[in-house]
Amino acid sequence: MDNILQVKNLHVSFDTYAGEVQAVRGVSFDLKAGETLAIVGESGSGKSVTSKSLVRLNPPDSTRVKNGEILFEGKNILNITEQEMRKIRGADIAMIFQDPMTALNPTMTIGKQIAESIRKHTSMGGAKVKERVIELLQMVGIKDAEIRIKQYPHQFSGGMRQRIVIAMALACEPKIIIADEPTTALDVSIQAQILELLKHIQQQMGLSIVFITHDLGVVAKMADRVAVMYAGKIIEIGLVDEVFYKTTHPYTKGLLAAMPRPNMMSDELYSIPGSPPDLLNLPQGDAFAERNKQALKIDFLEEPPLFQISDTHFAATWLLHELAPKTAPLENKSVNPIPSNHALEKDRIAKGNLILVKGLKQYFKLDKHNTVKAVDDISFNIYKGEIFGLVGESGCGKSTTGRSLIKLNEMTEGEVIIDGKDIRKVKSKKELLEFNRKVQMIFQDPYSSLNPRMKVADIIAEGLDIHQLNLGQRQEKVYELLETVGLNKEHANRYPHEFSGGQRQRIGIARALAVEPDFIIADEPISALDVSIQAQIVNLLKKLQKEKGLTYLFIAHDLSMVKYISDRIGVMYRGKIVEMASSEELYGNPIHPYTKSLLSALPLPDPLLERERKRIIFDDKSHEGRNRENEILREVREGHFVMCTEQEYEEYKKNLEVVAH
Amino acid sequence: MVIKHDENLKVKKYTPDLFEPSNQDAIKREQIMRPEQSFWQDAWNRLKKNKAAFLGLLIIAGVILLAIFGPYMNSHGYDEQDLTRTNLPPKIPVLENISFLGVDGKDIRNVDQYASKNVDEFFWFGTDELGRDLWTRVWQGTRISLYIAFLAATIDLIIGVAYGAISSFYGGRLDTLMQRIIEVLVGIPGLIVNILLILILKPGILSITLAMVIVGWIGMARIVRAQILKLKGQEYVLASKTLGASNQRLIWKHLIPNTFGPIIVVTTFTIPGAIFTEALLSFIGLGLQPPVASLGTIVNDSYKLLRIYPHGMIVSSIIISLIMISFNLLGDGLRDAFDPKMRK
Amino acid sequence: MIDYFEYKIKICLVVSVETRSGMKIAYNNMEMKDFNLMGDGGYFMFRYIMSRIGYMFVTLFIIILLSFVLMQTLPGSPFNDEKLPPAQKEILYEKYGLDKPVAEQFVIYLKNLSQGDLGVSFTFDNRPVTKIISERIGASAVLGIQAILLGTMVGLLLGILAALRHNSFWDYGAMLIAVLGISIPSFVFAGFLQYWVGVKLEWLPIAFWGGFEYSILPTFALSVSVVATIARFTRIEMLEVLGQEYIITAKSKGLSSFEIIGKHGIRNALIPIITIIGPLIVNTITGSLVIEKIFSIPGLGEQFVNSIITNDYQLIMGTTIFYAVLFIVVVLIVDILYGFIDPRIRVAGGNR
């Protein structure tokens, strides 16, 4: 295959008021015609900057390309004039951006926005342009294109907008598409649709795609080749199978190990310790050395070059040097068999319910005519010492449920009994304080969950102050809590903005633990964090649960994480729980069509599997179309509940029996 | 493949000891990368870096000092009339010898008024048509203008913060009601209300202040409300609620401290607004009555003499403009310093 | 003019969209609630306009009530002036029912107002206030419109220039002009313009109202704060817009910076600027009080200031009510205009 694009030794820096940020430090790769190259890395790894450099889209006044070449059709993109560059942008190399909500001009019709690049790069005019726009919209799967070209972006949903962005990129039939996290802002099932669309179009048009992402699952689904970036460098690059199955660099290994898989049975996730380095002052030697358990002495002195492993596979680690010790594979320390889930479950059931929710409804009145049924009649229970996962896509009501349980919302209807007490009857000040000690919450956004004006010690001790606990030993207690969540004493006098996202989340956990609650609602506690940090937080939560005998309600949209952490799971869809079972059972035998589609849409970090998987499509309309009148949650099998009509119930039961025999 | 082995690798000799495991027993615990800095230090550092805003701050400090001590720096009283020394141009010792500064006691026709009127004192800013010392008057006037402005800003602040905070914190029907009231009040043109009220109350320091406050607090109330509404949804406020925090705690520990930034910025902009309004009222005949003088009335009085004796107008307008510019520069600087977008 | 509106505008720069204008608030609330549920945009617009008109009447009522109370209580006002000649008193008693209870008097007052009767001026031989206003409004309108147009155009140019050449000499220069324009009181500016250009250089007439050349200096003096405000606001809006993702999208299509700024930048930056035009017009009108006085222009502002000096209460109240109506209607129209110009408000819903 021919190389269509070659990047050689690219160095890009940003000038900030704190100093020079070395975002990209010597990146080289090439892109072959018709292939998809995924560049994967965590935030701050330089993947986005690299991709924007390919068409010189980084902000010109603060960016400096210090070194390097980007060869496209014999020209060095970094040297050509802006005019020549403009001829390439949109025509030969097009981009798809992360957030479809902001990537479209809100005050221009989508038709005009798509037509812009056609008019710019071709001699087409008038009616022909319109025809082409309609054709493009149809190609990306937008119906009624003739009408919709006159509409504005806000009249489309997120997934639709991303399709429009794709249509825009395809307008002049480019040779290369650079997709910068094109599905990160979307829900799993929409993500799956967009990925399939991209793949389909790529095959049709013979495009090359540079696909930037942080999600190894998406990589496995999309990529032919993968480049893994860390701290501005490519640390491993190779064919997708090589990188996933012959993983060489300890960082890549760590990333893969940090992702839970549905068939995984260990009780602790592998996690990469520490946080990524500060690009303002990089350490000497390998930037990853400090987090690398297998680091050699030389790692702290000199950066490793890219060593060749096969024709196509390279990795930058001293472990590949001939003098390096032959290492054991990454310690897979906790393969020790965990006690059978079933037994544990019996155990828990014996302990009884901590939480019982019956017919919870949470409606929000918008105005006289409109009410949003955020949570619409759901019932479930959580046993003592259990982790109950609540999973669903954005807007399904899972977070609202969590907030209703902790009385942040005034319940519309229903009964919630926590440890034998109906929380609606908790009214007096004393009772409320008691309730607040028993039930605590961990929040999603590590940036907004800590008051920027308070010192960490005061944040953590807020519960102590309110409940007047540990009087006289406030400081000791704060230190103890900091230790518990893996931080140091010295952090107590700092302010939140001085910490990284993962560290902030730990502070939030310490704050919740301070009042020694029995029940913790964790509302998407890891969704704002990088993969390697996610594993740290999940491990911490699991450890705490074991040590302190806590009960969790774990709310998330990431199914593999929920599956990994939870004992039982409820799947929410449009304000209702549509399926509820133990996590093994739910993943092994999903019954409700929505659960099935959700599971099948989830990209897994396993390329071989991804190639074979077929997505199950949940047809919302035909599902709703059938008679759903007496639909309730029915127990199809012991502990496995599905939202279904009587007729469906019989069907499901029959199917289960067939499988069993 | 383009990527090749580092050429050095073949040439450079590595000793085997480099390839021993580093055995970092426990990988270093969580470290902090950023320097220790409280919110206020951070804002102050940003402000210091903003030269224009810092200059504004210095000028404001200077003007306030002069407004306090200026009138006592010579022996003239602010309403001490002396018709033998009317309309004297400025004359300052030492500086009088530098001709282009124009502080040599000569008027626009180049006549040394001091000599012709037989005055051997120095009037640093000159005198007005009643022979009053302008230095003393101007600083006395600045004092009164600043007093009115700070008073108005303080009252705006108190009412605005209280109204905005109550409205947004309790929300629901109370909020709707309070917002309706604001919606009505905000439609009333400020200057019109000022004029009507001063007509009733007769011009005076308090009546002018009151007239400005009566619509002035609305801006503050809206800002505070918007800010608190935003903060109420922040997760740290929810976290505090779930810990059982009382309303007092929520308001004083979480909401108000995080509203300080906008409050300070708005107040900084209120002050030049009030100084200006007061001057404007003087200009349309609703200013303070003699013998009390504010910057506005001095500008107005000296405007009438502009064509023959421009020094009064020049001095007083420079000072009023300087105050306004400084507060505006400071306000801009504070806004940038407190802007959360800059802080990540 | 700075006064209170000015600082409200500045506040807008602080807390961004939420307080910029009623429409924007309503729009933001609506966005939170999800367009789909709101039905079509037209319905929303209708409801919004109706509620705004409702508020407008309440506000007007309060101003009228205030002015009525003033007339009743102020010593020397025609309603309770003992020194009025009996003939005039009789006319007033007749016209305002001054022998009737206060409430009834107020109803009569309202009725007169609704018929466009703002009372009579006693310093002008009992001429109706409405007539005086209509005679005087011409000069003020010319001056005001010229100042707004000039100020807006220059302000936009400066603001756009400053944003495009961010952190350059042009940016600092434009912002220096803007800070000076906002800070230096217009009467100071007007006074010195008159002194240097009129008296010393003798280029232009220093006062009075005649041909176009008479309007140049006052227009200039009046437009300074408009220039400053628009320039600052435009710069901030432009910078915000230029930092948006869709600008990068446009760039990635291969558009030139000229096309990007023209088609995507300026258009989006201008929409929010409309929201400050209303308050700016109001500011300009208040500013004209002083400017007209300084340049002795026979406009409404000068008339108003004179009536304050001569204590002609009927004229003061009449003009006040006229100004109030004008201000409120201008702000309302501009806000509604905003709704029609921004497609996010104009068309909602759609088949998502």
Side-chain angles (χ1 to χ4, degrees):
Chain A
M1 276 191 285
D2 299 334
N3 287 337
I4 185 165
L5 187 78
Q6 290 184 314
V7 178
K8 290 180 187 169
N9 197 26
L10 182 69
H11 283 81
V12 186
S13 288
F14 287 111
D15 293 321
T16 67
Y17 92 111
E20 181 191 339
V21 173
Q22 301 176 35
V24 178
R25 306 180 297 135
V27 161
S28 305
F29 62 86
D30 37 37
L31 180 70
K32 297 179 190 351
E35 78 164 348
T36 300
L37 172 72
I39 302 181
V40 65
E42 296 179 290
S43 49
S45 63
K47 57 187 192 302
S48 223
V49 179
T50 306
S51 73
K52 287 207 174 90
S53 302
L54 301 182
V55 269
R56 300 208 326 221
L57 277 182
N58 286 310
D61 34 347
S62 60
T63 322
R64 278 186 293 148
V65 177
K66 290 170 66 182
N67 203 347
E69 270 177 54
I70 297 172
L71 295 175
F72 173 70
E73 295 187 333
K75 277 179 272 185
N76 181 358
I77 280 184
L78 297 174
N79 286 340
I80 57 177
T81 61
E82 185 61 26
Q83 242 162 334
E84 284 176 285
M85 189 67 239
R86 281 206 295 270
K87 278 189 196 135
I88 296 175
R89 280 190 206 125
D92 295 319
I93 307 178
M95 281 206 77
I96 300 169
F97 297 93
Q98 174 174 358
D99 188 357
M101 294 297 168
T102 56
L104 292 169
N105 182 346
T107 61
M108 194 187 258
T109 60
I110 61 139
K112 272 194 192 145
Q113 292 191 56
I114 298 171
E116 249 180 351
S117 53
I118 305 174
R119 284 182 208 280
K120 182 81 192 173
H121 297 292
T122 66
S123 54
M124 263 189 248
K128 267 203 149 165
V129 174
K130 193 181 162 189
E131 250 170 62
R132 171 74 181 145
V133 171
I134 291 171
E135 184 191 314
L136 282 164
L137 283 177
Q138 283 163 344
M139 195 157 92
V140 297
I142 289 180
K143 287 174 196 137
D144 304 327
E146 291 86 353
I147 303 163
R148 304 218 79 175
I149 53 169
K150 291 194 202 85
Q151 292 185 330
Y152 291 92
H154 71 264
Q155 294 170 285
F156 294 85
S157 66
M160 282 293 171
R161 286 193 213 187
Q162 197 61 301
R163 287 170 191 267
I164 293 164
V165 174
I166 293 172
M168 228 153 64
L170 296 175
C172 298
E173 300 188 346
K175 300 187 178 89
I176 301 173
I177 282 194
I178 297 163
D180 187 0
E181 304 249 14
T183 56
T184 307
L186 305 172
D187 271 326
V188 193
S189 50
I190 310 286
Q191 162 172 291
Q193 290 170 18
I194 296 289
L195 292 179
E196 273 161 28
L197 175 70
L198 272 176
K199 252 195 156 160
H200 176 73
I201 285 169
Q202 181 187 27
Q203 281 157 8
Q204 228 178 13
M205 299 175 58
L207 288 167
S208 304
I209 298 181
V210 179
F211 197 101
I212 316 296
T213 182
H214 67 278
D215 186 337
L216 286 165
V218 173
V219 173
K221 193 178 173 92
M222 290 297 288
D224 300 312
R225 279 194 311 135
V226 193
V228 184
M229 283 189 76
Y230 185 80
K233 289 202 149 191
I234 291 185
I235 50 104
E236 182 157 7
I237 183 168
L239 297 178
V240 68
D241 289 4
E242 288 173 328
V243 173
F244 277 82
Y245 302 122
K246 291 180 186 152
T247 319
T248 307
H249 196 283
Y251 174 69
T252 321
K253 284 184 189 168
L255 272 188
L256 282 167
M259 285 190 76
R261 290 151 211 231
N263 51 1
M264 199 166 82
M265 288 294 257
S266 75
D267 61 350
E268 191 180 348
L269 274 179
Y270 178 81
S271 76
I272 303 172
S275 331
D278 187 353
L279 295 174
L280 273 167
N281 10 318
L282 281 160
Q284 200 198 346
D286 185 1
F288 183 62
E290 278 191 6
R291 302 175 70 189
N292 186 358
K293 287 177 188 163
Q294 298 170 304
L296 305 174
K297 280 183 180 154
I298 192 169
D299 275 314
F300 292 92
L301 300 170
E302 200 172 325
E303 285 196 83
L306 269 179
F307 289 91
Q308 188 159 20
I309 302 157
S310 74
D311 281 352
T312 47
H313 192 185
F314 299 79
T317 166
W318 284 116
L319 293 174
L320 292 171
H321 194 270
E322 49 192 11
L323 290 173
K326 297 286 159 269
T327 51
L330 193 71
E331 45 178 326
N332 232 345
K333 67 179 195 183
S334 43
V335 210
N336 44 341
I338 43 174
S340 110
N341 223 326
H342 203 64
L344 273 179
E345 204 173 311
K346 281 251 165 71
D347 209 34
R348 272 192 298 268
I349 293 170
K351 279 190 193 158
N353 286 334
L354 183 69
I355 315 289
L356 189 64
V357 178
K358 271 192 224 157
L360 172 66
K361 285 183 188 169
Q362 187 72 60
Y363 295 172
F364 296 105
K365 213 166 174 181
L366 297 182
D367 53 41
K368 278 177 203 143
H369 314 285
N370 297 305
T371 307
V372 171
K373 298 181 175 179
V375 177
D376 193 11
D377 195 3
I378 64 170
S379 305
F380 60 93
N381 65 326
I382 305 177
Y383 298 116
K384 271 192 190 123
E386 181 185 47
I387 302 181
F388 185 83
L390 210 49
V391 67
E393 294 180 298
S394 54
C396 71
K398 56 189 191 299
S399 284
T400 311
T401 307
R403 289 184 178 195
S404 302
L405 290 194
I406 198 165
K407 284 175 86 73
L408 278 174
N409 296 328
E410 193 68 39
M411 247 182 272
T412 313
E413 222 176 276
E415 201 180 16
V416 175
I417 291 165
I418 295 182
D419 206 9
K421 251 190 202 148
D422 185 346
I423 68 163
R424 283 189 113 169
K425 292 193 181 114
V426 173
K427 284 216 172 94
S428 75
K429 214 175 158 190
K430 200 176 147 235
E431 281 177 315
L432 275 171
L433 279 177
E434 208 178 298
F435 172 79
N436 288 323
R437 273 198 69 180
K438 206 173 276 171
V439 186
Q440 267 305 301
M441 192 154 187
I442 299 167
F443 292 87
Q444 170 177 10
D445 180 5
Y447 287 89
S448 96
S449 62
L450 307 178
N451 186 342
R453 303 292 155 85
M454 280 164 83
K455 287 190 172 184
V456 166
D458 296 323
I459 292 173
I460 294 178
E462 182 158 23
L464 303 180
D465 296 345
I466 291 170
H467 297 276
Q468 305 193 317
L469 302 170
N470 296 75
L471 292 171
Q473 298 151 2
R474 185 174 180 268
Q475 198 180 5
E476 287 74 36
K477 180 75 183 172
V478 169
Y479 288 165
E480 186 197 315
L481 285 163
L482 278 169
E483 287 287 323
T484 314
V485 297
L487 293 170
N488 306 337
K489 275 203 255 194
E490 294 83 62
H491 295 152
N493 283 323
R494 299 284 192 134
Y495 286 89
H497 69 268
E498 296 160 20
F499 294 84
S500 68
Q503 291 168 332
R504 284 163 178 245
Q505 204 54 293
R506 288 166 191 268
I507 297 169
I509 293 171
R511 169 177 58 195
L513 289 178
V515 294
E516 293 170 358
D518 301 330
F519 176 48
I520 292 184
I521 298 166
D523 185 5
E524 303 245 22
I526 52 166
S527 62
L529 305 174
D530 275 324
V531 178
S532 67
I533 310 295
Q534 282 187 353
Q536 294 175 5
I537 298 296
V538 164
N539 284 341
L540 175 65
L541 286 174
K542 270 212 146 176
K543 189 187 95 187
L544 291 171
Q545 191 245 354
K546 255 188 225 154
E547 286 174 6
K548 301 186 188 278
L550 296 168
T551 306
Y552 287 142
L553 173 64
F554 189 87
I555 299 165
H557 64 273
D558 179 344
L559 289 100
S560 9
M561 247 343 155
V562 175
K563 150 78 176 53
Y564 168 72
I565 196 168
S566 313
D567 301 308
R568 282 191 311 137
I569 296 174
V571 180
M572 277 192 84
Y573 176 68
R574 292 198 175 170
K576 290 185 182 341
I577 290 185
V578 293
E579 188 159 3
M580 186 164 71
S582 76
S583 55
E584 300 302 326
E585 168 74 12
L586 190 85
Y587 278 76
N589 288 314
I591 292 175
H592 195 277
Y594 178 71
T595 315
K596 283 184 178 168
S597 88
L598 211 54
L599 280 172
S600 73
L602 178 74
L604 299 172
D606 192 341
L608 288 177
L609 191 75
E610 275 299 326
R611 263 165 237 156
E612 284 161 16
R613 272 172 95 200
K614 279 247 156 53
R615 197 158 66 83
I616 299 162
I617 294 160
F618 174 57
D619 190 348
D620 184 17
K621 284 202 184 96
S622 79
H623 183 76
E624 295 289 308
R626 273 182 276 163
N627 180 19
R628 309 232 64 88
E629 237 166 55
N630 48 14
E631 185 178 63
I632 48 163
L633 213 53
R634 293 167 206 265
E635 191 164 11
V636 181
R637 191 200 269 208
E638 196 195 339
H640 191 156
F641 297 83
V642 182
M643 173 71 72
C644 56
T645 59
E646 213 158 324
Q647 190 191 348
E648 283 167 339
Y649 175 68
E650 298 300 331
E651 271 174 47
Y652 293 153
K653 280 206 100 163
K654 220 177 273 169
N655 289 346
L656 279 175
E657 274 160 30
V658 172
V659 173
H661 286 292
Chain B
M1 260 298 172
V2 203
I3 305 158
K4 291 220 175 88
H5 278 218
D6 198 313
E7 294 301 326
N8 282 336
L9 214 58
K10 284 173 190 152
V11 186
K12 210 167 166 183
K13 286 271 188 275
Y14 289 98
T15 48
D17 61 310
L18 284 174
F19 289 89
E20 282 164 21
S22 66
N23 286 335
Q24 14 178 9
D25 28 299
I27 288 184
K28 277 180 230 162
R29 297 211 100 180
E30 299 288 336
Q31 291 171 325
I32 306 190
M33 303 164 199
R34 300 191 193 197
E36 188 171 337
Q37 224 168 33
S38 79
F39 173 81
W40 297 108
Q41 284 169 325
D42 196 30
W44 172 241
N45 286 340
R46 280 173 198 282
L47 191 67
K48 273 197 297 192
K49 278 196 182 143
N50 186 335
K51 290 188 195 93
F54 198 67
L55 183 70
L57 189 65
L58 288 182
I59 295 176
I60 291 167
V63 166
I64 290 176
L65 284 179
L66 280 168
I68 296 171
F69 301 111
Y72 309 120
M73 286 166 77
N74 61 31
S75 54
H76 308 289
Y78 74 97
D79 58 344
E80 194 181 294
Q81 303 181 7
D82 184 346
L83 296 178
T84 64
R85 52 175 209 216
T86 56
N87 293 321
L88 289 173
K91 190 176 178 186
I92 303 174
V94 187
L95 295 179
E96 63 182 320
N97 301 320
I98 309 167
S99 62
F100 67 85
L101 285 176
V103 288
D104 50 4
K106 290 179 181 157
D107 66 8
I108 49 171
R109 280 167 298 276
N110 222 359
V111 179
D112 190 337
Q113 291 286 340
Y114 286 73
S116 64
K117 285 186 177 153
N118 257 335
V119 181
D120 44 10
E121 284 170 276
F122 288 91
F123 290 95
W124 300 338
F125 284 176
T127 56
D128 66 3
E129 80 271 24
L130 293 173
R132 293 175 292 197
D133 175 37
L134 270 176
W135 170 274
T136 313
R137 271 183 81 69
V138 161
W139 294 121
Q140 185 78 27
T142 307
R143 188 191 284 181
I144 288 180
S145 285
L146 284 177
Y147 174 71
I148 291 178
F150 277 104
L151 190 63
T154 312
I155 302 176
D156 276 0
L157 181 105
I158 294 168
I159 303 178
V161 171
Y163 195 96
I166 291 170
S167 172
S168 53
F169 186 76
Y170 293 99
R173 286 218 185 111
L174 185 68
D175 184 38
T176 315
L177 178 74
M178 291 174 90
Q179 279 324 105
R180 293 250 156 103
I181 293 172
I182 282 208
E183 195 78 18
V184 168
L185 289 180
V186 90
I188 301 176
L191 196 69
I192 297 287
V193 176
N194 293 342
I195 291 170
L196 291 183
L197 272 169
I198 293 169
L199 280 176
I200 311 178
L201 300 170
K202 297 300 164 213
I205 293 180
L206 275 180
S207 64
I208 289 177
T209 311
L210 189 72
M212 289 196 279
V213 164
I214 218 147
V215 284
W217 59 271
I218 294 173
M220 180 66 89
R222 292 182 111 182
I223 296 294
V224 170
R225 176 174 176 271
Q227 184 72 9
I228 289 189
L229 277 185
K230 205 173 83 192
L231 293 175
K232 259 174 83 182
Q234 295 280 312
E235 289 180 344
Y236 62 81
V237 176
L238 299 181
S240 186
K241 263 191 195 168
T242 62
L243 283 166
S246 59
N247 286 349
Q248 263 94 342
R249 191 182 174 88
L250 287 179
I251 293 177
W252 293 108
K253 285 262 174 185
H254 296 289
L255 299 176
I256 297 284
N258 283 291
T259 318
F260 275 151
I263 290 176
I264 291 172
V265 175
V266 172
T267 304
T268 314
F269 282 128
T270 312
I271 290 168
I275 290 177
F276 176 79
T277 310
E278 188 275 324
L280 190 81
L281 288 170
S282 305
F283 235 82
I284 56 178
L286 290 171
L288 295 172
Q289 301 301 308
V292 187
S294 68
L295 269 182
T297 55
I298 295 171
V299 174
N300 187 26
D301 292 343
S302 52
Y303 166 73
K304 292 167 193 152
L305 301 167
L306 177 64
R307 285 172 215 173
I308 354 165
Y309 302 110
H311 65 270
M313 176 81 176
I314 293 175
V315 166
S316 52
S317 12
I318 286 179
I319 289 174
I320 198 171
S321 305
L322 209 56
I323 296 175
M324 305 263 300
I325 293 171
S326 309
F327 273 104
N328 278 315
L329 287 177
L330 180 65
D332 281 350
L334 286 172
R335 190 186 61 220
D336 294 343
F338 287 132
D339 191 345
K341 265 185 260 169
M342 313 267 293
R343 192 185 158 79
K344 256 260 161 113
Chain C
M1 287 286 114
I2 301 182
D3 104 349
Y4 275 86
F5 284 104
E6 172 55 35
Y7 101 79
K8 263 179 225 152
I9 292 167
K10 282 187 185 147
I11 292 164
C12 300
L13 307 181
V14 184
V15 180
S16 77
V17 291
E18 271 133 312
T19 42
R20 230 174 249 166
S21 104
M23 179 58 100
K24 195 94 184 187
I25 297 171
Y27 162 57
N28 275 357
N29 289 344
M30 191 169 71
E31 199 169 47
M32 285 190 316
K33 287 170 182 174
D34 182 15
F35 280 94
N36 254 348
L37 291 157
M38 289 305 296
D40 72 311
Y43 172 64
F44 169 73
M45 279 291 287
F46 176 74
R47 270 200 338 192
Y48 174 73
I49 293 169
M50 289 323 280
S51 80
R52 280 300 300 269
I53 291 174
Y55 283 123
M56 186 182 90
F57 278 111
V58 178
T59 308
L60 270 182
F61 181 80
I62 287 176
I63 293 168
I64 293 167
L65 186 66
L66 193 65
S67 70
F68 176 77
V69 171
L70 278 185
M71 298 285 256
Q72 289 281 343
T73 52
L74 276 182
S77 107
F79 280 21
N80 52 16
D81 193 350
E82 304 300 319
K83 283 169 279 179
L84 275 181
Q88 260 198 357
K89 235 176 188 170
E90 207 164 299
I91 302 174
L92 282 171
Y93 266 77
E94 179 76 16
K95 190 169 168 194
Y96 294 109
L98 293 186
D99 47 350
K100 295 189 175 119
V102 183
E104 209 165 314
Q105 286 183 41
F106 185 57
V107 175
I108 296 172
Y109 186 74
L110 277 180
K111 207 181 277 170
N112 288 338
L113 278 181
S114 65
Q115 285 156 1
D117 180 359
L118 295 169
V120 293
S121 159
F122 64 90
T123 47
F124 283 85
D125 304 326
N126 295 331
R127 290 211 356 239
V129 172
T130 330
K131 193 139 187 251
I132 296 174
I133 291 176
S134 67
E135 281 167 11
R136 289 274 185 156
I137 191 75
S140 296
V142 169
L143 184 60
I145 291 169
Q146 280 184 5
I148 293 275
L149 287 181
L150 177 73
T152 312
M153 282 187 302
V154 177
L156 283 177
L157 278 178
L158 279 180
I160 291 171
L161 188 69
L164 295 186
R165 299 270 173 276
H166 187 38
N167 284 336
S168 75
F169 166 77
W170 293 103
D171 188 13
Y172 297 135
M175 282 311 105
L176 184 69
I177 294 175
V179 169
L180 292 182
I182 281 176
S183 302
I184 298 177
S186 58
F187 47 83
V188 169
F189 195 69
F192 284 106
L193 264 187
Q194 205 178 26
Y195 181 66
W196 291 111
V197 185
V199 179
K200 283 215 145 173
L201 299 170
E202 294 181 7
W203 286 352
L204 289 164
I206 54 167
F208 306 116
W209 197 243
F212 172 68
E213 70 267 27
Y214 286 86
S215 71
I216 295 176
L217 285 184
T219 301
F220 206 60
L222 198 51
S223 66
V224 170
S225 68
V226 182
V227 170
T229 313
I230 296 260
R232 283 163 66 101
F233 206 77
T234 309
R235 173 173 174 270
I236 288 186
E237 282 301 330
M238 272 301 276
L239 285 178
E240 199 185 316
V241 167
L242 292 180
Q244 296 289 319
E245 284 267 309
Y246 58 79
I247 295 295
I248 302 178
T249 311
K251 201 174 172 188
S252 79
K253 289 184 210 168
L255 301 189
S256 66
S257 12
F258 189 72
E259 288 166 306
I260 295 171
I261 289 156
K263 284 187 187 161
H264 298 273
I266 293 178
R267 201 189 137 85
N268 282 296
L270 286 189
I271 290 176
I273 291 173
I274 294 168
T275 59
I276 63 163
I277 296 279
L280 261 184
I281 294 175
V282 173
N283 282 343
T284 309
I285 299 170
T286 34
S288 69
L289 299 187
V290 187
I291 300 295
E292 286 180 14
K293 190 189 164 213
I294 288 179
F295 290 97
S296 306
I297 294 163
L300 194 56
E302 200 234 4
Q303 174 67 64
F304 188 55
V305 175
N306 283 338
S307 66
I308 290 171
I309 295 166
T310 56
N311 280 354
D312 187 342
Y313 288 115
Q314 288 248 44
L315 191 49
I316 296 175
M317 296 312 159
T319 318
T320 301
I321 291 170
F322 173 76
Y323 271 142
V325 174
L326 185 67
F327 289 179
I328 293 171
V329 170
V330 162
V331 173
L332 177 72
I333 290 175
V334 172
D335 270 6
I336 291 174
L337 202 66
Y338 175 79
F340 279 106
I341 288 176
D342 193 332
R344 282 164 294 189
I345 299 174
R346 190 180 63 232
V347 285
N351 181 15
R352 303 177 50 158

